[in-house]
Amino acid sequence: MTDKRKTPLETEEITAEMCSADVRLQALGQVPFFSMLKSAELQEINKLFKEQGFEPNETVYFEGDPADHLYVVAAGKVKLMRHTRSGKDVLLDLLEPGEYFGSLSPLPDETYTETAQARTTVCSLRIGKETFRSILANRPGIALRVLEITAGRLQAAHERVRQLSAFPVEHRIAFTLLTLAEKFGQPQKGRLLIQTPLSRDDLAEMTGTTTESASRTISQLQKAGLIETGRQWVAITDRERLEAILEEE
Amino acid sequence: MTDKRKTPLETEEITAEMCSADVRLQALGQVPFFSMLKSAELQEINKLFKEQGFEPNETVYFEGDPADHLYVVAAGKVKLMRHTRSGKDVLLDLLEPGEYFGSLSPLPDETYTETAQARTTVCSLRIGKETFRSILANRPGIALRVLEITAGRLQAAHERVRQLSAFPVEHRIAFTLLTLAEKFGQPQKGRLLIQTPLSRDDLAEMTGTTTESASRTISQLQKAGLIETGRQWVAITDRERLEAILEEE
DNA sequence: CGACGAATTGAACCTATTCAAAGGGTGTGG
DNA sequence: CCACACCCTTTGAATAGGTTCAATTCGTCG
């Protein structure tokens, strides 16, 4: 019995029981800053997290809400974004299992500076920011890992500022596709599929352009044979020529 | 004897002896993540830093150089930027005394992802990244402060991504001026002077536009009476109307 | 005063946006 | 299982905002 759908994306099979005890432990063990912990320690820390599930498109928190939790993605994909008055949203990041989001700062009276939204069915684990801070205060090794990850995100954000400041749409789209492929890429039929739902709209929000411009650029790249694409998906077929676009000035 | 120059900027009086022992201690005490230390501890840490002076426009390090030090600005102003092949530079940050830059990550074989350049005569203090890491590993309080500051910079970078993605030049210039005023603003003659050399070129590099567009926008804001400006300086005269530009969609 | 770098201004050009309309894949309900 | 409705995507044409190139003016410092 063949699937009639044309999308090459694997549907994310996540059920209601996704937040079961062992899945939780596995998810936490995947978190870069917990991965060095011994099993016993991990179990201790596991107890401090509460699980919370979300349906696709459900919002974890809104920009401006009081910020008092830190979240870890256990299963599914989470989108971080900022809004604008005109309704044009900006997509800041797409998170995989093992990545954190939410509030790191222990200061009171803070609010989230971005909106977090489930893009698939999601299981998240969350912890109060004070509790998390005390974990960091007691285990410098973890604090240093968290710092490294945050510093890495800062570099990525700076690179994005550079892209937006200095390069035309085609260049930015190419860059974004290559970056996404590094994170979500899955070899398939001699091409590199970006294994996450990805609309022209998403791409536009990631590159600071409009849906129409993203669509035109994507079509053009497909005609040139650099990528294959369809509704909600993109696969890279000629990585080298795509990278060559980044070399143009 | 009156000054014939028209610039309202104070010239930064920094001499060759700027890195004297007491200036060093004072500078380190100003660093947010050292400010909670007792005097004795601060003296210990002070010994781990080496001083290094720079002339205006001298480069501290280049993008791509091996990254093995962390720097603290003791005196003067430092500019962080990224280059592009086409020669269009992107200004990432302007640092004041007490701010850090350079490498946080202890990983070997890393390179700086931005170029650091002295904008004035500068005295900097630097420390090997492994040494700095051991300070953090032993004093969780410091590590947490560094993490907070880095997280704050990440928020700022995200906001800049939003600005570049969603708003026109005039809006971005207004935003940048207000942000600069918050950091470098100095009340003077009923206006708020941005106390740092600031050319149209700098402004263009900060807002992702060209020198000419920055110039046109600045002229226009001046004609409208929101700012006063001259060669290398800007002062805000009507903050409210400048902020009102940010409300437009 | 003279020279150099910074800032301004104009005009032509171009990229990307906007508005509008049509085409196609997916999943739902009959 | 088919058909319809919805949303995603594509494409076109007009427009606008910004860039580019070029020339001039202005301020600052030697």
Side-chain angles (χ1 to χ4, degrees), chain B residues 63-82:
Chain B
E63 195 175 338
D65 286 353
D68 33 41
H69 285 273
L70 179 118
Y71 294 78
V72 166
V73 183
K77 305 238 166 69
V78 171
K79 165 176 164 178
L80 300 184
M81 58 189 176
R82 290 198 179 204

Side-chain angles (χ1 to χ4, degrees), chain A residues 47-197:
Chain A
K47 288 182 194 152
L48 301 172
F49 280 86
K50 287 210 177 99
E51 68 209 34
Q52 194 173 12
F54 297 93
E55 295 302 308
N57 298 320
E58 204 178 338
T59 300
V60 180
Y61 54 74
F62 281 104
E63 195 176 337
D65 285 353
D68 34 41
H69 287 273
L70 178 116
Y71 294 78
V72 166
V73 183
K77 305 241 166 68
V78 171
K79 165 177 163 177
L80 300 184
M81 58 189 177
R82 289 197 179 205
H83 304 291
T84 65
R85 194 175 310 273
S86 57
K88 186 173 185 172
D89 285 345
V90 178
L91 202 164
L92 293 176
D93 214 346
L94 279 179
L95 306 182
E96 286 187 302
E99 295 193 276
Y100 81 82
F101 62 104
S103 176
L104 276 177
S105 163
L107 305 173
D109 300 330
E110 286 212 319
T111 59
Y112 294 113
T113 54
E114 76 282 324
T115 296
Q117 189 186 36
R119 280 181 68 76
T120 61
T121 307
V122 161
C123 167
S124 70
L125 302 175
R126 74 167 207 231
I127 188 172
K129 62 182 178 183
E130 301 82 5
T131 314
F132 187 67
R133 185 188 171 84
S134 69
I135 294 179
L136 296 188
N138 293 323
R139 318 201 188 215
I142 298 183
L144 285 171
R145 280 298 281 136
V146 174
L147 177 57
E148 274 167 41
I149 292 164
T150 307
R153 289 189 183 177
L154 180 57
Q155 301 296 357
H158 279 165
E159 176 55 25
R160 204 160 150 193
V161 167
R162 189 175 80 108
Q163 296 280 332
L164 289 164
S165 298
F167 302 115
V169 170
E170 188 192 36
H171 183 118
R172 303 202 305 263
I173 296 263
F175 174 79
T176 302
L177 290 179
L178 287 165
T179 307
L180 284 170
E182 235 168 77
K183 186 164 181 178
F184 298 104
Q186 210 172 68
Q188 188 212 55
K189 304 186 203 165
R191 65 192 189 186
L192 192 59
L193 175 67
I194 294 171
Q195 173 55 46
T196 191

Side-chain angles (χ1 to χ4, degrees), chain B residues 228-241:
Chain B
E228 286 171 10
T229 177
R231 191 187 171 103
Q232 307 256 47
W233 64 274
V234 180
I236 296 175
T237 53
D238 192 337
R239 186 194 198 128
E240 297 195 353
R241 279 208 289 153

Side-chain angles (χ1 to χ4, degrees), chain B residues 84 100 185:
Chain B
T84 65
Y100 81 82

